[in-house]
Amino acid sequence: MGKTSDLTDVKKAIIDTLKQEGKTQKEISQQIGCSQSAVSRHLNGKSVGRKQCGRKRCTTRRGDRTLRKIVEKDLFQTLGNLRKQWTESGVETSRATVHRRVQEMGYRCRIPQLTSGGLSTAFQNAVDKPLMTVTRVNIGLLSAALRLVTRCLPWLPGDLGIVGRWRAVCVTALQQPHSDAAAIGIDVYIAAASLNVTGGTSQITDLTVCTALYQIGDLTYSRAGLELQLQPDPDPEVLPAGPGCSPAAILDPGTAGRRRSVHVFLLSCAVQDYAWGKLGGDSEVAQLWASGDSERKIEPKKPYAELWMGTHPKGDALITDNRVNQKTLGQWIASHPECLGSKVRQAFQDQLPFLFKVLSVRLALSIQAHPDKTLAKKLHAQFPQHYPDDNHKPEMAIALTPFRGLCGFRPISEIVGFLQGIPEFRTLIGPDAAQQLESSAEDPGKDAEQRKAMQQCFTCMMQSGKKEVAEQLNLLVQRVTQQVQRAEDVSSCIGDLLLTLHSQFPGDIGCFAIYFLNVVTLQPGEAMYLGANEPHAYLEGDCVECMACSDNTVRAGLTPKYIDVDTLCAMLTYTPAPAADKLFTPSPVSGDSCALLYNPPVPDFSVIKIEVPSSISQYQVAPLDSASILLLVRGQAKSQGIHGELCLRAGSVLFISANESISLTVEPAHNLLLFRACCLL
């Protein structure tokens, strides 16, 4: 009983009485044996059908809202099921009306579920369609069919049963343009299969057929089908994977009725346009960003500073694979935490523990350091507006081009040399602190005294007044500029870097930091690791960077951002070491001659550099007990396997779930350069 007109006067009176007794509409409907909607309409004085507007069938706005709820509850329902549920809600309708309403809601496709008993009928219908031509299929045509399957996957029902494991000995394709381009959709009969090519022969396994009402964007409609002459597979345990294999097309033989989940997919990553980034095409970030998508255009005067690959809230990577329901990587990991690997899940509470980046530096970044976990918790509790989380932030930079930066304190002998050779520097620090450091340098065995003297000197400099800093810096810059004009050597005071920093940050105390900190120049492939409480600054160049997920940075110079001099001076290690000691050396990966592992002394992240020469046509990306993000920097490659057809070029970013591997076919024209961020526990 879905309509108020079906209620007798007695039942209406009972409804009124029960309502006065405080019964809910659900309780009333159950007690008198009618639908809840009929009770609601009676109580609200509403009716449906002829009584409302005189038409045989009338779908009110309220009915449309009800239908939308039914559709969104389960997107993979047949039109018959939708009509049944809508009718039960009190709306008298037809299958055609349901179909029209669903299309008006923006759902361009409804899938009638097809059982195994209807397979032969479906194929026969495809064959019997008029005006169709039959063409012998080749590998290219079959691959095109599999790509069509991939595009259809978001609309495939989840309970398609596996028909059987077969080997195709003959494949034909049926094609015919649709005559009515204004139609809502078309029937597509799809054979979903994995394809393996060996010795010039092909075989198909895991055959599944479905029908779909489908529209491919705004393209011309086409009706297509596949007719296969099949015979039983003599070896049902073989599941080949190779060129043409489509992940959208394979059903796991061990889990009949369920599609295989997507575990490897491409990402579209965020670009940060910080002012210090390289401009336009000079930026490696811009080149990778534009190469990853042909529709992206580089703006010549725009800074392209960082490419973020990860789940950070300020730049959560977008998922471009239409087989995946979630829009961002963070959402997908939240729904599929098993992709992280068991150890990572336990250690990092179902979170991706690292953020992977590419940096293109034109202007110097701030003199900074990152707190350890203990200090991070304290700073976050006291100043959450400046330190937004309680995590540490170790970092590692791997050069893509010659990359220059400041890293760690110089040996004391070098600092003393600058104190004695640069009067402006000595004046800023003060004679007492300078003399104390010089005295400690004469006794190398007293490490504690040396670190204390270095801290006093560095703190005196960083806490100098702005007026005094500007005066001494102007004197030094004027003197160095005159030396350059006279073509004199200024390397003893690192004159070229001093003038560069002063031009970028006039009067900034950070210009004097170069006399305390090592100036490190990395060549492509070389790396430096920046642990907790280690002072550093990036100066220029392009690099790959990986770090723990945190925004905690303590700054003290070369920046317009918040400066916390006291915290920085108190937290630093003050451990002197030569620049050569700051280089982080990778180690070979066992069993892979193409890979080098950069494994820092923290659990949050590691980076694997993969360089495949053009002489190698196939490369296997090995499985890891960790989720990983793979960035292709140089070259081109393709992957065709259980994860589908993937075309990778410079700028392509791939997410790989734990314990998944992919096989890459390398284009012979160029070497392949990739970087893979992961968490090796």
Side-chain angles (χ1 to χ4, degrees):
M1 294 185 180
K3 300 176 290 184
T4 56
S5 58
D6 293 331
L7 295 175
T8 64
D9 292 337
V10 174
K11 287 191 175 183
K12 292 179 180 178
I14 294 174
I15 291 174
D16 294 334
T17 302
L18 294 176
K19 182 63 177 178
Q20 292 176 2
E21 294 176 359
K23 300 289 186 181
T24 65
Q25 293 182 10
K26 182 177 181 181
E27 293 172 339
I28 295 173
S29 65
Q30 292 174 347
Q31 186 165 340
I32 69 172
C34 70
S35 69
Q36 185 175 339
S37 59
V39 175
S40 175
R41 287 185 176 83
H42 169 69
L43 294 174
N44 295 322
K46 297 181 179 180
S47 61
V48 297
R50 297 173 185 271
K51 290 188 177 182
Q52 182 169 343
C53 64
R55 289 192 289 113
K56 181 178 180 181
R57 296 183 179 92
C58 176
T59 308
T60 64
R61 291 184 178 180
R62 184 174 181 181
D64 282 345
R65 291 196 297 270
T66 302
L67 178 59
R68 182 178 293 276
K69 292 179 180 179
I70 294 172
V71 171
E72 293 178 348
K73 181 178 180 181
D74 183 0
L75 295 178
F76 299 121
Q77 300 181 69
T78 63
L79 293 175
N81 289 339
L82 291 177
R83 180 194 176 196
K84 179 180 178 181
Q85 295 180 63
W86 204 20
T87 302
E88 290 175 350
S89 72
V91 179
E92 184 181 354
T93 185
S94 67
R95 184 186 179 96
T97 301
V98 173
H99 184 259
R100 185 177 69 255
R101 289 281 192 253
V102 170
Q103 297 294 331
E104 290 172 354
M105 291 178 187
Y107 294 95
R108 308 300 295 172
C109 175
R110 299 306 308 169
I111 304 294
Q113 297 175 1
L114 185 64
T115 62
S116 58
L119 288 177
S120 59
T121 303
F123 270 130
Q124 192 60 44
N125 288 341
V127 174
D128 291 343
K129 295 288 184 182
L131 303 178
M132 281 191 169
T133 58
V134 179
T135 307
R136 185 79 177 181
V137 77
N138 56 26
I139 299 301
L141 186 56
L142 183 57
S143 297
L146 294 177
R147 286 195 296 271
L148 179 61
V149 174
T150 303
R151 300 183 70 174
C152 289
L153 183 66
W155 293 277
L156 291 180
D159 58 352
L160 283 176
I162 294 181
V163 182
R165 301 175 60 83
W166 305 87
R167 174 169 296 148
V169 294
C170 179
V171 181
T172 59
L174 311 169
Q175 299 184 96
Q176 167 65 24
H178 201 282
S179 58
D180 185 6
I184 293 176
I186 48 108
D187 291 328
V188 180
Y189 297 90
I190 303 170
S194 64
L195 172 68
N196 186 41
V197 180
T198 305
T201 62
S202 63
Q203 62 182 12
I204 294 179
T205 59
D206 292 276
L207 177 65
T208 303
V209 180
C210 69
T211 61
L213 190 64
Y214 187 66
Q215 179 186 27
I216 306 175
D218 297 325
L219 302 179
T220 303
Y221 298 92
S222 64
R223 181 187 289 113
L226 294 177
E227 180 187 21
L228 297 90
Q229 301 174 7
L230 305 173
Q231 67 182 20
D233 190 339
D235 185 7
E237 296 302 318
V238 175
L239 178 61
C245 177
S246 172
I250 297 179
L251 295 176
D252 187 343
T255 55
R258 291 191 288 116
R259 287 178 294 161
R260 190 185 193 279
S261 299
V262 182
H263 297 289
V264 176
F265 44 81
L266 288 167
L267 300 174
S268 176
C269 299
V271 169
Q272 309 294 349
D273 56 354
Y274 304 136
W276 50 260
K278 289 186 177 181
L279 303 179
D282 293 336
S283 169
E284 184 74 19
V285 168
Q287 294 178 24
L288 292 174
W289 173 77
S291 299
D293 188 336
S294 58
E295 296 184 359
R296 295 170 177 168
K297 303 300 180 184
I298 299 175
E299 299 179 29
K301 296 183 179 181
K302 179 180 178 179
Y304 295 84
E306 296 186 353
L307 178 68
W308 286 20
M309 298 165 283
T311 60
H312 195 286
K314 295 181 181 179
D316 197 356
L318 300 178
I319 299 174
T320 62
D321 196 315
N322 60 12
R323 298 168 295 167
V324 179
N325 294 328
Q326 290 78 17
K327 295 183 180 297
T328 69
L329 181 58
Q331 294 171 357
W332 192 84
I333 291 176
S335 300
H336 303 83
E338 68 279 359
C339 74
L340 297 172
S342 57
K343 294 181 180 179
V344 176
R345 289 190 64 182
Q346 183 177 1
F348 296 98
Q349 293 76 50
D350 289 346
Q351 300 292 320
L352 188 70
F354 58 82
L355 178 61
F356 199 25
K357 294 183 180 182
V358 178
L359 274 64
S360 291
V361 181
R362 175 176 60 92
L363 304 177
L365 278 67
S366 60
I367 304 294
Q368 60 182 254
H370 305 296
D372 56 26
K373 287 191 174 183
T374 301
L375 180 58
K377 292 180 180 180
K378 179 180 177 181
L379 293 175
H380 176 61
Q382 294 177 339
F383 311 105
Q385 70 276 24
H386 300 307
Y387 306 101
D389 57 77
D390 61 359
N391 196 20
H392 66 165
K393 191 184 178 184
E395 300 174 337
M396 181 168 58
I398 306 172
L400 293 175
T401 62
F403 188 81
R404 202 177 190 189
L406 303 177
C407 181
F409 284 99
R410 295 174 176 273
I412 289 183
S413 58
E414 294 183 11
I415 300 174
V416 169
F418 290 127
L419 284 172
Q420 295 175 348
I422 304 174
E424 298 85 355
F425 178 46
R426 188 182 187 91
T427 299
L428 200 61
I429 289 177
D432 294 339
Q435 186 175 0
Q436 184 177 353
L437 184 63
E438 291 170 341
S439 299
S440 67
E442 297 175 356
D443 190 353
K446 297 182 179 180
D447 294 339
E449 291 184 8
Q450 290 181 347
R451 286 195 295 270
K452 184 177 180 180
M454 187 186 300
Q455 180 176 3
Q456 184 177 355
C457 285
F458 187 76
T459 302
C460 288
M461 183 190 76
M462 297 303 297
Q463 292 180 343
S464 299
K466 291 184 177 181
K467 182 179 180 181
E468 184 180 6
V469 171
E471 290 177 353
Q472 296 302 320
L473 185 57
N474 287 336
L475 289 174
L476 177 58
V477 168
Q478 183 178 6
R479 180 165 60 84
V480 172
T481 301
Q482 293 173 351
Q483 289 179 302
V484 171
Q485 292 173 348
R486 295 193 298 266
E488 297 178 3
D489 183 16
V490 293
S491 60
S492 61
C493 62
I494 324 177
D496 59 339
L497 180 56
L498 174 72
L499 296 180
T500 297
L501 294 179
H502 183 261
S503 67
Q504 297 174 3
F505 299 94
D508 195 288
I509 186 61
C511 296
F512 281 107
I514 62 177
Y515 302 124
F516 275 104
L517 306 181
N518 288 297
V519 179
V520 179
T521 301
L522 303 178
Q523 297 303 317
E526 292 183 334
M528 59 180 175
Y529 168 70
L530 308 168
N533 306 322
E534 183 88 33
H536 61 277
Y538 295 157
L539 301 178
E540 59 180 343
D542 305 275
C543 73
V544 170
E545 184 184 52
C546 199
M547 64 182 65
C549 280
S550 172
D551 281 331
N552 288 327
T553 301
V554 183
R555 301 177 179 88
L558 302 180
T559 180
K561 296 183 180 180
Y562 173 73
I563 290 178
D564 192 348
V565 173
D566 293 341
T567 299
L568 183 79
C569 292
M571 68 185 281
L572 298 181
T573 58
Y574 298 101
T575 302
D581 289 358
K582 298 303 175 181
L583 297 180
F584 189 82
T585 305
S587 58
V589 176
S590 177
D592 189 345
S593 60
C594 299
L596 290 174
L597 173 63
Y598 300 80
N599 194 24
V602 290
D604 305 70
F605 62 86
S606 299
V607 177
I608 301 173
K609 176 190 174 186
I610 303 171
E611 195 162 10
V612 184
S614 58
S615 58
I616 298 178
S617 60
Q618 293 284 335
Y619 179 78
Q620 188 75 20
V621 179
L624 300 173
D625 187 21
S626 162
S628 60
I629 294 177
L630 184 70
L631 167 68
L632 194 150
V633 177
R634 302 282 185 272
Q636 294 182 349
K638 293 182 178 180
S639 174
Q640 292 176 313
I642 61 173
H643 303 297
E645 183 175 345
L646 300 170
C647 295
L648 306 180
R649 54 191 173 186
S652 294
V653 182
L654 200 63
F655 178 81
I656 306 175
S657 298
N659 304 309
E660 296 287 340
S661 66
I662 59 173
S663 179
L664 299 180
T665 301
V666 182
E667 293 293 329
H670 304 284
N671 294 345
L672 199 62
L673 177 60
L674 309 103
F675 289 89
R676 184 182 188 185
C678 55
C679 178
L680 302 180
L681 297 177

